[in-house]
Amino acid sequence: MAVPTKNIPAPDLVPVRRALLSAFDKTGLVDFAKALAASGVELVSTGGTAKTIAEAGLAVRDVSELTGFPEIMDGRVKTLHPSVHGALLGIRDDAEHAKAMRDHHIEPIDLVVSNLYPFEEVRRSGAGYASIVENIDIGGPAMIRASAKNHAYVAIVTDPADYASVVNALEMNLGSLSLEFRKMLAAKAFARTATYDAAISGWFAEELQIEHPTWRAFGGRLDQVMRYGENPHQNAGFYLSGDKRPGVATAMQLQGKQLSYNNINDTDAAFELVGEFDPARSAAIAIIKHANPCGVAEGSSLKAAYAKALACDPVSAFGGIVAMNRILDAEAAEEIVKTFTEVIIAPDATDEAAAIVAAKKNLRLLVTGGLPDPRAAGTTVKSVAGGLLVQSRDNAVVDDLELKVVTKRAPTPAELADLKFAFRVAKHVKSNAIVYVKNGATVGIGAGQMSRVDSSRIAARKALDAAEAAGLAEPLTKGSVVASDAFFPFADGLLSAIEAGATAVIQPGGSMRDDDVIAAADEHGIAMVFTGVRHFRH
């Protein structure tokens, strides 16, 4: 049954006469406190916050003067008191509430400044269990939620970035804050505590290895509002989860215009793909268009790898995303800027390379400080009507898999190296995925088709187009190897790859017709290995 309401209308303007300040993050706090004091606001505070305000020469009452009770238990208990929460939750225009406040000597609080213990930061720092638990704030969220609920009379400020707007609003309204402004602050406050609790519940689930908790929450902080989403009629924003995995969300943008929704989506796909390639082994480049690779290659240098990757599909590479697994150097930068490119993302860039890219004012250059670990555990989330699909990240790596040769002929060492390369790439191609590879470079990619045989044919067609563009006598799929992200349900997909010139195949296996597919490979002298792992990507 719903709690009955008294239907007391909220006042528009509420004077701010008393403020309670209790903030872990003290950025801008002293200047804000000075502005409040200059407006005649009485300052009440707790512990370290009170000390900071007093050291700035401002008069401040300790919260214990309001409660008549000292802080105890190392500060765990200080604001959890009727004198504080009564001051926050009391409906000033309700006769019963007003009488209770008078009877119990509860002084109203009109504005609260509270931000929380840095649980998220402590969790990411690798601190121990006890330290993480100690940084779960209790009094802060309680005050924030109480103030936000009673926004009819109380303003709650949870973000130092809002101090200036609060001061400005107080000046405009002669020491008062409007109902609309208080509502906006309350909405932000509830979102903050929701995100905070999501981080805590998520950590507990991980700590206890609960794969599917009964209640699941996700939170993030707005990083930027975008011009539009996937299409111009859609609005969009980019939120940061706080995960420090190297990538587009944690990267530093050295130059170029603001990233779009599609830029971010494609850049994430590009960098996750290139993270599959160990920079200690060789340089690697991935060129992405619409979240699918149109060229991936390894080489002795980034320049060499880029040339091989570009040759796979130079038409699709126009306006694409370029990701690499090593520091961008001038030699590679000079080649990349010759083709119109939306974004370059790399672990870092030399000054010379950055200067070359800077000549293209709209080209974005992102540096991440590292590569994403393809083996790291994680979670992916996809929205559907009425719910969320949540799964663990696909962190299977072909180098860790036990490959099983199922044909009469085993792959040669060169073929095996290319097969592993192809399967790394297939993991990042939309299903159904077919990837042809030769000499450490993709030479044909078929993505996102309803039929696997169609993906195989499209990849072969792409290879023919690339050969014509390069003036080659035959496509590079001749003598290549091919990877399939899932099993061949029939032999026709394999036969299409053989027709394109593939000499070896890597696929998960597991079809009811595996024997037919293996027989077709043997009939044509093709080597085939099974991985036992599928890489569907929708």
Side-chain angles (χ1 to χ4, degrees):
M1 186 176 69
V3 177
T5 60
K6 298 188 176 182
N7 295 318
I8 298 173
D12 182 17
L13 292 174
V14 171
V16 177
R17 300 187 177 95
R18 182 175 295 106
L20 172 58
L21 293 80
S22 180
F24 184 89
D25 179 1
K26 297 176 177 57
T27 304
L29 182 69
V30 170
D31 288 340
F32 185 50
K34 287 179 179 178
L36 293 176
S39 297
V41 178
E42 180 187 11
L43 304 180
V44 180
S45 191
T46 62
T49 307
K51 181 180 179 183
T52 298
I53 295 171
E55 288 175 349
L58 298 172
V60 57
R61 291 175 65 188
D62 194 276
V63 73
S64 61
E65 291 184 40
L66 295 186
T67 64
F69 204 89
E71 291 185 18
I72 61 173
M73 301 177 182
D74 298 320
R76 280 191 170 200
V77 179
K78 50 192 174 188
T79 59
L80 296 168
H81 192 280
S83 291
V84 173
H85 285 270
L88 300 178
L89 287 166
I91 300 173
R92 317 284 171 81
D93 296 317
D94 180 280
E96 293 180 9
H97 285 213
K99 182 178 184 301
M101 293 177 77
R102 289 193 302 272
D103 290 349
H104 296 284
H105 309 291
I106 295 174
E107 304 174 49
I109 295 171
D110 310 304
L111 183 146
V112 173
V113 176
S114 180
N115 52 61
L116 306 173
Y117 292 168
F119 173 85
E120 296 101 329
E121 288 79 4
V122 173
R123 174 193 178 187
R124 289 193 296 267
S125 72
Y129 185 93
S131 180
I132 293 173
V133 169
E134 195 59 33
N135 278 277
I136 297 175
D137 203 326
I138 301 300
M143 282 199 305
I144 289 171
R145 289 176 58 83
S147 305
K149 175 173 180 172
N150 202 31
H151 61 267
Y153 301 95
V154 183
I156 172 64
V157 185
T158 56
D159 187 349
D162 291 330
Y163 291 164
S165 61
V166 172
V167 172
N168 183 59
L170 286 169
E171 291 175 351
M172 289 179 62
N173 294 300
L174 303 177
S176 297
L177 294 175
S178 70
L179 176 61
E180 189 65 24
F181 190 76
R182 299 194 304 274
K183 284 181 178 178
M184 291 175 61
L185 291 174
K188 189 170 186 177
F190 278 123
R192 176 63 188 115
T193 56
T195 303
Y196 193 74
D197 286 338
I200 295 169
S201 63
W203 170 72
F204 264 113
E206 289 180 11
E207 188 71 19
L208 299 175
Q209 298 182 338
I210 302 172
E211 292 185 357
H212 304 292
T214 303
W215 297 97
R216 193 78 184 247
F218 299 92
R221 183 185 178 105
L222 181 66
D223 180 65
Q224 59 177 281
V225 175
M226 298 168 171
R227 288 175 58 205
Y228 55 83
E230 215 164 1
N231 299 291
H233 63 279
Q234 296 170 269
N235 58 48
F238 185 36
Y239 288 80
L240 304 182
S241 68
D243 185 359
K244 294 304 182 183
R245 183 176 179 85
V248 64
T250 58
M252 178 187 301
Q253 184 169 344
L254 299 186
Q255 74 131 64
K257 61 184 179 180
Q258 183 186 41
L259 292 163
S260 70
Y261 180 99
N262 292 329
N263 290 153
I264 290 175
N265 186 55
D266 293 350
T267 303
D268 177 69
F271 207 57
E272 287 292 324
L273 193 166
V274 88
E276 300 277 349
F277 296 91
D278 184 356
R281 183 179 63 231
S282 65
I285 291 281
I287 306 173
I288 297 291
K289 194 72 171 288
H290 298 300
N292 272 310
C294 52
V296 185
E298 288 183 307
S300 58
S301 67
L302 289 174
K303 179 182 178 181
Y306 178 74
K308 291 167 68 178
L310 184 63
C312 179
D313 190 353
V315 174
S316 297
F318 184 85
I321 312 293
V322 176
M324 60 206 66
N325 67 345
R326 288 183 178 177
I327 296 171
L328 175 65
D329 54 43
E331 186 181 48
E334 286 176 348
E335 290 301 311
I336 294 170
V337 299
K338 290 177 181 178
T339 299
F340 171 57
T341 301
E342 291 277 6
V343 181
I344 299 173
I345 184 168
D348 207 342
T350 66
D351 291 341
E352 295 83 0
I356 291 167
V357 176
K360 304 287 185 180
K361 64 177 183 178
N362 289 329
L363 172 55
R364 296 85 156 186
L365 175 58
L366 307 180
V367 295
T368 63
L371 289 169
D373 180 0
R375 295 177 173 85
T379 302
T380 65
V381 183
K382 181 178 181 180
S383 63
V384 296
L388 298 171
L389 283 171
V390 181
Q391 67 175 343
S392 59
R393 179 187 288 126
D394 182 357
N395 62 350
V397 175
V398 68
D399 292 325
D400 301 335
L401 303 180
E402 185 177 343
L403 304 184
K404 179 182 179 183
V405 178
V406 294
T407 48
K408 295 175 182 177
R409 183 173 82 79
T412 67
E415 286 175 328
L416 183 59
D418 276 347
L419 287 170
K420 290 182 177 181
F421 183 107
F423 206 64
R424 286 190 199 98
V425 176
K427 174 181 173 182
H428 295 267
V429 179
K430 300 290 185 180
S431 300
N432 288 311
I434 294 290
V435 179
Y436 293 92
V437 166
K438 186 175 183 179
N439 298 328
T442 57
V443 293
I445 299 173
Q449 298 305 303
M450 292 69 73
S451 162
R452 191 161 302 280
V453 68
D454 284 344
S455 288
S456 186
R457 288 168 179 164
I458 287 172
R461 179 69 252 181
K462 286 279 191 181
L464 282 170
D465 293 341
E468 290 177 9
L472 301 177
E474 61 180 11
L476 291 176
T477 49
K478 298 295 183 182
S480 68
V481 306
V482 66
S484 174
D485 63 340
F487 61 65
F488 288 101
F490 301 96
D492 55 357
L494 173 65
L495 293 173
S496 179
I498 293 170
E499 184 180 348
T503 64
V505 182
I506 186 169
Q507 60 137 320
S511 169
M512 292 175 60
R513 298 178 179 83
D514 274 348
D515 290 343
D516 295 341
V517 176
I518 294 169
D522 282 334
E523 183 180 345
H524 291 82
I526 299 300
M528 182 183 291
V529 297
F530 282 2
T531 65
V533 171
R534 186 181 74 185
H535 282 311
F536 268 166
R537 189 177 187 86
H538 294 100

